[in-house]
Amino acid sequence: MQGGDKYCDSIIVDKQVEAGIEELCDLAPVHNAGHLRGLRAVDALMPETPQVCVFDNAFHSTMPDYAYLYAIPYDLYTKYHVRRYGFHGTSHRYVSQRVCEYLGRDIKTQRIITCHIGNGASISAVKFGKCVDTSMGLTPLAGLMMGSRSGDIDPSAVTYLMEKLGKQPQEMADYLNKESGVMGITGISSDMREIESAAAEGNERAQLALNMYNYRIKKYIGAYAAAMGGVDIIVWTAGVGENQTGTRIDACSDLEFLGIKIDPEANKVRGKEAIISTPDSKVTVCVIPTDEESVIARDTMKLVQEAKK
């Protein structure tokens, strides 16, 4: 659920919160409207049962203004709340905390790059326990190349294509969200497993898509290492990040200047917690399966228990 800049933490739902979520429907019309219907249905059926909202962008609310603002007239932020919000926040929050538990390190001393790479994908820079930047923006369309989303694109290319294709704003948004990305480049699928198979069989556009996909991940890793003044840990998570060994090794290649060395044998792991960097790598690279549900459950239990006191 999109909490905009109104909700920076999980919260127990009341009528005021419902109204706040409704006010934010312009920012996330599909997600917020659907969640709102669910909240109201449960309230009608079980009025005495507390409900909790866990906002997908809340973890990113610690970003500094120079990271979340766009270089457009400032009034567009104050009037219409146009800024970078980021998504996958519960996942980035979970894996950044979990990797420090796994490695026995204090999160307040670590510079972490969390790579949530799935059909939807985002990367976050987590410095000393707080998110300082993330790749998704006002909507989940920004940032990395994804299964069917374009990721970063020149805004003028969008208006140019709208004119050439005769598309209205919503049609163009659907085109960039549902017909672009890996699907758009290959014309085959948005599933990276199918793309890897096609590339192995010699499909040139599948190989092009893989090259584009992994290159953009690499660029964000480099950018966020610079933004934090270095990096101590890189975390791979979500469907592709946890299972596609080729993506991990390709995206981390040529990053030895940052102290990143991947162990090819250790990298063969799929879907379980593991260190995949070499013992002498200055940056520890890990696979940590995400568990967004546990974050939601813990926040819910904590808030409900506190409300009973």
Side-chain angles (χ1 to χ4, degrees):
M1 189 182 299
Q2 167 65 285
D5 47 15
K6 185 183 291 287
Y7 301 108
C8 297
D9 291 296
S10 301
I11 192 170
I12 289 183
V13 179
D14 57 20
K15 295 300 181 184
Q16 185 176 355
V17 171
E18 282 188 15
I21 293 169
E22 190 163 24
E23 289 174 8
L24 294 167
C25 278
D26 280 352
L27 293 177
V30 175
H31 292 84
N32 276 28
H35 285 302
L36 197 57
R37 287 193 294 271
L39 289 170
R40 287 170 173 165
V42 171
D43 190 46
L45 293 169
M46 299 180 289
E48 301 304 317
T49 301
Q51 297 188 75
V52 172
C53 281
V54 179
F55 298 98
D56 199 34
N57 61 300
F59 181 65
H60 306 304
S61 64
T62 53
M63 286 189 290
D65 53 5
Y66 57 79
Y68 68 67
L69 285 173
Y70 293 119
I72 55 177
Y74 192 79
D75 285 353
L76 298 178
Y77 166 59
T78 57
K79 290 180 180 179
Y80 304 114
H81 309 287
V82 178
R83 51 160 285 182
R84 180 182 305 280
Y85 289 106
F87 299 88
H88 298 141
T90 49
S91 178
H92 291 291
R93 175 181 160 192
Y94 173 81
V95 298
S96 60
Q97 293 172 344
R98 176 57 196 155
V99 75
C100 288
E101 294 172 359
Y102 178 66
L103 297 174
R105 301 184 190 178
D106 182 354
I107 194 171
K108 293 181 180 179
T109 68
Q110 300 295 296
R111 296 161 297 182
I112 308 169
I113 297 174
T114 50
C115 304
H116 178 108
I117 312 298
N119 194 261
S122 63
I123 296 182
S124 291
V126 183
K127 187 174 185 179
F128 309 149
K130 294 184 178 181
C131 178
V132 295
D133 208 343
T134 193
S135 60
M136 285 181 167
L138 175 73
T139 74
L141 183 59
L144 300 171
M145 178 181 179
M146 303 175 225
S148 62
R149 293 176 182 145
S150 66
D152 292 338
I153 184 172
D154 182 345
S156 291
V158 177
T159 54
Y160 176 81
L161 288 172
M162 288 177 68
E163 182 179 345
K164 292 294 183 182
L165 300 175
K167 291 187 179 292
Q168 297 300 310
Q170 188 57 54
E171 292 175 320
M172 194 65 205
D174 290 342
Y175 194 62
L176 294 174
N177 274 288
K178 300 176 182 179
E179 300 180 51
S180 299
V182 172
M183 170 69 83
I185 294 295
T186 64
I188 296 172
S189 172
S190 62
D191 190 318
M192 292 301 291
R193 292 167 295 187
E194 294 181 22
I195 303 310
E196 284 196 339
S197 295
E201 293 169 2
N203 186 301
E204 292 183 1
R205 279 171 57 185
Q207 186 59 57
L208 172 62
L210 285 176
N211 293 344
M212 293 172 66
Y213 190 86
N214 297 337
Y215 176 69
R216 294 185 181 199
I217 294 172
K218 182 185 299 185
K219 284 206 301 183
Y220 268 99
I221 290 173
Y224 286 167
M228 294 190 292
V231 56
D232 301 299
I233 303 170
I234 294 174
V235 184
W236 292 91
T237 195
V240 175
E242 293 171 24
N243 297 289
Q244 302 294 105
T245 61
T247 290
R248 296 194 300 248
I249 205 159
D250 287 352
C252 287
S253 67
D254 299 323
L255 294 178
E256 289 82 6
F257 72 97
L258 290 175
I260 298 169
K261 295 182 182 179
I262 300 297
D263 182 330
E265 285 300 312
N267 186 52
K268 292 179 180 179
V269 69
R270 297 177 187 270
K272 63 180 182 180
E273 295 183 339
I275 297 172
I276 61 170
S277 50
T278 61
D280 64 337
S281 179
K282 293 180 181 178
V283 178
T284 306
V285 185
C286 293
V287 175
I288 300 289
T290 192
D291 191 354
E292 296 163 278
E293 292 81 2
S294 72
V295 174
I296 294 169
R298 289 169 187 168
D299 279 8
T300 299
M301 180 178 291
K302 178 183 177 183
L303 287 169
V304 171
Q305 288 178 339
E306 287 176 351
K308 289 180 179 179
K309 292 179 180 177

